[in-house]
Amino acid sequence: MKNRAKLINRIVCSIIAISIALLGLFPLVWMVLASFKNKKEVLATPLRILPKVFTMENFQKIFDDQTMSFTRSLLVTFFVAAVAVFLSLLINMMAGYVFARMNFYGKRFLWVYCILSMYIPGMTISLTSFLVVQKLGMLDSLAVLILPGVVSGYSIFFFRQFFLNLPSSLEEAAMIDGAGRMRIFFSIFIPLSKSPMVVLGAGTFIGYWNSFIWPSMTITTPKYMQIMQIIRSMRSVYSTDFGAVMAGTAIAVIPPIILFFIFQKQIVKGLVLSGLK
Amino acid sequence: MKREKVQKNRVTNLDKRDMKVAYFMLIPAVIMLTIFVIIPLIVAFQKSFYDWNYYIESVFIGFDNYRMIINTIYFQKAVINVLKFVITIVPLLLLLSFAFAHVLKGLSSKMSNMIKTAIYIPGIISGIATSVIFIFILDYKGGIINQILMQIGVGRIGFLNNPFWAYIAIILPTVWVGLGGNTILMYAALVNVPPEYYEAASVDGASALKKMIYITLPQMKNIFVLMCISLTAGTLQMFDIPYMLTGGGPSNSTLTPMLYLYNNYRDASKGMGYTIAGAILMLIIIVMINSVVFAVIKSEKSVEG
């Protein structure tokens, strides 16, 4: 009797959950379908779910558009995000290690200094960050895209927390063998930090890939246009040609989704950790 | 005695070398934070008290910029709009994710992991891409929602041309993006509630509603507070979706403070200090809200410890 109630409960929950998940994925499926439809079919009335003829013309159009430089933007955005991930992991990990395992004067002050940025919303200081990078002559450069978001109080906090939980015997043994701090960090701690690296690396990559405000303030040359800027201008250039806009958007959302599928377990775990602290 | 002293000296020497390494490893982080966070912050505070633009000499004007931004009708409207978004989006997401977390709890673990993955995907898509997808879905003529509304005889809705529907049109993708992550958090908190509590209540014959009121809600109080605060802080900074979907329109009904500041920061006609003053006001409000999170976490820790 009780088991049957449980079973029914499970079935009802499954049905609700699956329908919500499908509803949630629907906009993405709809986008992909639209990208394969020709101009007539995309907004056709009455509605057609599947395209009558699968066409690649939308993709051809956006990749051939010389003024848009879609391919170039994908590559530049990828490069920017990849370099940013590398730098941010290295720099934040070093800082997290120092705060977790070493003693020095001014530690408390520097700690507050470093994690202060966790409490400051990036958007509100982007206006004056713009003035600063303008003064430094950094507008329209790769550096202005990469550097400002590299150091994050949150990442430092996260790495420190992780290193605090590692046993202190790790470096004691190495120090007796005469290894220096840097060697201990690079040869013992970095190899042990794969899981926080995955969580923060994936988060950083997705953040850079999706960023729009900062690039739109600092980049005007087509050479360094970020992918979301291109999507934005596609929307105005192709206005009602939704097939082309959806094709571009579909490609632009693929890298974060692939990354998420590869590391989903760690990312979800990291989300829960960061939410519950 | 002597040996001990020698040893102590050696330790401090080692410590000193260690300190140098520590500073060395911290240098990149500190320099970058200084350039991209601290200096902009200082510049922002300073510039907010000056009348200036690229072409004129800076003049100190005290709080005039703040007065100007507070009295700007569009900024006032933007603040009211964003508060409206806060009081709808935050409860909506809390409620939906709380309910959905209960649904997930009723699933087998394999199934719930699959569902979690599926619902989190919208959360990793950029606001710009999300908006473009919803512009397509909400299109007046050929958009799928309007087509369905036509089929069932309701008739078309001009989602982006009418203030009320534009407001709904912005809430829709915002909830779509936020539901997955918040549900996962709620679920994690929900399964953390010790099952013995429920068992004991069942033995006493408590109803499901009573269990909810006396066990689930008190046990999950903290996660509610934390999520409420972070959602509020996030919604106050709303930008991408209104920017892309409605551009703040129609007639500024979906204009948000960040969108207003973004649109006007290069406008030199009124001097450039007043948008920065507006940014500082937002910053103060958001930092205040964030620091409540900090206080909650701290009190929680002290209770546990």
Side-chain angles (χ1 to χ4, degrees):
Chain A
M1 183 65 191
K2 212 183 165 194
N3 271 339
R4 229 184 108 188
K6 233 180 178 172
L7 188 71
I8 291 174
N9 181 44
R10 177 156 287 179
I11 292 172
V12 172
C13 284
S14 301
I15 293 172
I16 299 174
I18 291 172
S19 10
I20 293 179
L22 289 179
L23 195 68
L25 291 178
F26 178 76
L28 297 174
V29 175
W30 193 236
M31 161 183 77
V32 173
L33 288 176
S35 65
F36 289 110
K37 290 176 183 171
N38 63 34
K39 231 175 171 173
K40 263 190 203 144
E41 266 191 277
V42 123
L43 292 175
T45 30
L47 195 64
R48 285 188 58 89
I49 304 287
L50 293 173
K52 207 182 279 172
V53 269
F54 266 90
T55 167
M56 296 302 284
E57 66 184 40
N58 294 315
F59 293 96
Q60 244 158 25
K61 197 186 299 175
I62 55 168
F63 279 111
D64 285 348
D65 191 331
Q66 292 305 317
T67 55
M68 208 65 98
S69 57
F70 191 69
T71 318
R72 193 195 162 89
S73 170
L74 286 172
L75 295 173
V76 172
T77 312
F78 190 87
F79 176 77
V80 165
V83 175
V85 167
F86 174 76
L87 287 177
S88 84
L89 287 181
L90 181 68
I91 294 174
N92 293 322
M93 208 167 4
M94 284 201 299
Y97 172 80
V98 167
F99 286 120
R101 313 294 274 212
M102 297 171 84
N103 281 311
F104 49 94
Y105 295 120
K107 186 172 174 179
R108 259 194 93 79
F109 170 77
L110 285 169
W111 172 243
V112 173
Y113 195 86
C114 281
I115 63 163
L116 192 69
S117 70
M118 242 162 86
Y119 296 91
I120 297 169
M123 262 220 77
T124 50
I125 53 165
S126 57
L127 301 189
T128 43
S129 297
F130 170 77
L131 295 175
V132 171
V133 296
Q134 193 182 36
K135 262 264 159 61
L136 294 172
M138 283 169 74
L139 292 184
D140 274 326
S141 66
L142 286 174
V144 82
L145 286 170
I146 297 172
L147 296 181
V150 159
V151 179
S152 117
Y154 173 70
S155 296
I156 295 175
F157 185 89
F158 201 93
F159 274 124
R160 173 178 172 266
Q161 219 60 13
F162 178 80
F163 290 137
L164 279 176
N165 288 330
L166 295 178
S168 59
S169 53
L170 273 178
E171 61 242 278
E172 275 160 15
M175 269 172 160
I176 289 167
D177 291 346
R181 278 286 184 185
M182 289 296 243
R183 239 192 72 204
I184 293 172
F185 173 70
F186 281 104
S187 60
I188 299 178
F189 279 79
I190 288 191
L192 282 174
S193 321
K194 278 195 194 103
S195 70
M197 277 166 82
V198 164
V199 174
L200 295 170
T204 306
F205 186 91
I206 293 172
Y208 269 84
W209 185 269
N210 287 346
S211 69
F212 171 76
I213 302 173
W214 184 246
S216 77
M217 288 169 84
T218 53
I219 302 294
T220 49
T221 162
K223 222 165 69 179
Y224 298 137
M225 282 278 175
Q226 297 291 284
I227 190 68
M228 289 308 149
Q229 289 178 279
I230 298 287
I231 297 297
R232 153 102 189 77
S233 58
M234 243 182 214
R235 154 78 186 132
S236 27
V237 174
Y238 293 125
S239 62
T240 54
D241 187 357
F242 277 112
V245 180
M246 288 300 117
T249 311
I251 290 176
V253 300
I254 286 174
I257 291 181
I258 290 179
L259 201 65
F260 174 67
F261 270 109
I262 299 175
F263 298 118
Q264 48 166 312
K265 261 201 192 120
Q266 290 96 320
I267 293 177
V268 169
K269 225 192 257 163
L271 172 78
V272 170
L273 273 180
S274 69
L276 305 177
K277 292 242 165 73
Chain B
M1 187 77 184
K2 209 183 164 193
R3 235 181 106 192
E4 219 172 45
K5 209 177 174 187
V6 169
Q7 199 144 23
K8 211 174 165 194
N9 267 335
R10 253 184 59 204
V11 170
T12 45
N13 274 340
L14 199 82
D15 274 356
K16 263 186 195 155
R17 222 190 66 198
D18 222 34
M19 272 187 208
K20 267 186 204 155
V21 179
Y23 293 131
F24 179 73
M25 288 173 84
L26 270 181
I27 282 176
V30 170
I31 289 180
M32 296 239 244
L33 280 174
T34 308
I35 297 175
F36 298 116
V37 179
I38 306 297
I39 291 179
L41 205 59
I42 295 168
V43 171
F45 271 105
Q46 184 228 345
K47 294 275 186 197
S48 70
F49 293 107
Y50 282 84
D51 181 19
W52 65 281
N53 62 36
Y54 295 127
Y55 319 106
I56 61 165
E57 201 82 5
S58 291
V59 183
F60 182 81
I61 51 168
F63 281 95
D64 277 6
N65 282 324
Y66 288 91
R67 237 167 266 146
M68 198 196 296
I69 188 77
I70 288 171
N71 289 323
T72 304
I73 294 167
Y74 294 126
F75 190 72
Q76 289 171 354
K77 184 144 195 196
V79 170
I80 292 169
N81 289 339
V82 92
L83 290 178
K84 276 198 224 159
F85 282 124
V86 168
I87 58 170
T88 40
I89 289 170
V90 175
L92 198 63
L93 271 176
L94 285 177
L95 207 73
L96 287 176
S97 57
F98 183 66
F100 200 23
H102 277 88
V103 174
L104 286 187
K105 205 186 167 192
L107 303 177
S108 64
S109 70
K110 205 175 159 192
M111 178 77 126
S112 88
N113 280 334
M114 254 166 60
I115 300 285
K116 272 195 263 180
T117 304
I119 57 170
Y120 193 51
I121 290 173
I124 54 173
I125 290 170
S126 81
I128 297 295
T130 301
S131 312
V132 172
I133 297 171
F134 274 82
I135 288 173
F136 175 51
I137 288 176
L138 297 170
D139 186 71
Y140 184 73
K141 204 180 136 271
I144 182 164
I145 291 188
N146 269 324
Q147 300 240 26
I148 292 170
L149 290 175
M150 278 296 277
Q151 297 277 337
I152 59 173
V154 176
R156 291 200 164 91
I157 293 172
F159 279 103
L160 306 179
N161 307 323
N162 164 305
F164 173 75
W165 288 113
Y167 180 75
I168 303 291
I170 283 175
I171 291 178
L172 213 61
T174 310
V175 170
W176 183 65
V177 166
L179 184 63
N182 286 301
T183 302
I184 291 171
L185 285 182
M186 278 284 190
Y187 174 78
L190 185 65
V191 294
N192 260 343
V193 179
E196 302 87 55
Y197 291 7
Y198 294 111
E199 281 155 25
S202 298
V203 170
D204 292 345
S207 66
L209 182 70
K210 278 216 163 120
K211 281 186 208 163
M212 173 80 76
I213 295 172
Y214 293 109
I215 301 172
T216 314
L217 290 178
Q219 285 288 315
M220 289 177 68
K221 197 186 79 204
N222 279 330
I223 187 78
F224 267 106
V225 174
L226 291 180
M227 277 174 64
C228 185
I229 291 162
S230 63
L231 281 171
T232 305
T235 310
L236 286 174
Q237 297 176 68
M238 217 164 152
F239 173 83
D240 306 38
I241 292 176
Y243 169 79
M244 200 61 198
L245 203 62
T246 60
S251 57
N252 297 312
S253 58
T254 56
L255 185 72
T256 66
M258 291 306 169
L259 185 51
Y260 175 80
L261 297 176
Y262 177 86
N263 285 337
N264 291 284
Y265 79 103
R266 269 192 252 231
D267 170 23
S269 62
K270 285 190 243 174
M272 292 174 76
Y274 84 107
T275 46
I276 289 174
I280 298 260
L281 289 179
M282 293 304 292
L283 179 100
I284 291 170
I285 294 169
I286 290 163
V287 168
M288 268 162 54
I289 292 173
N290 279 340
S291 56
V292 177
V293 174
F294 202 61
V296 170
I297 293 168
K298 240 185 166 171
S299 72
E300 199 177 334
K301 288 240 169 82
S302 63
V303 169
E304 276 168 15

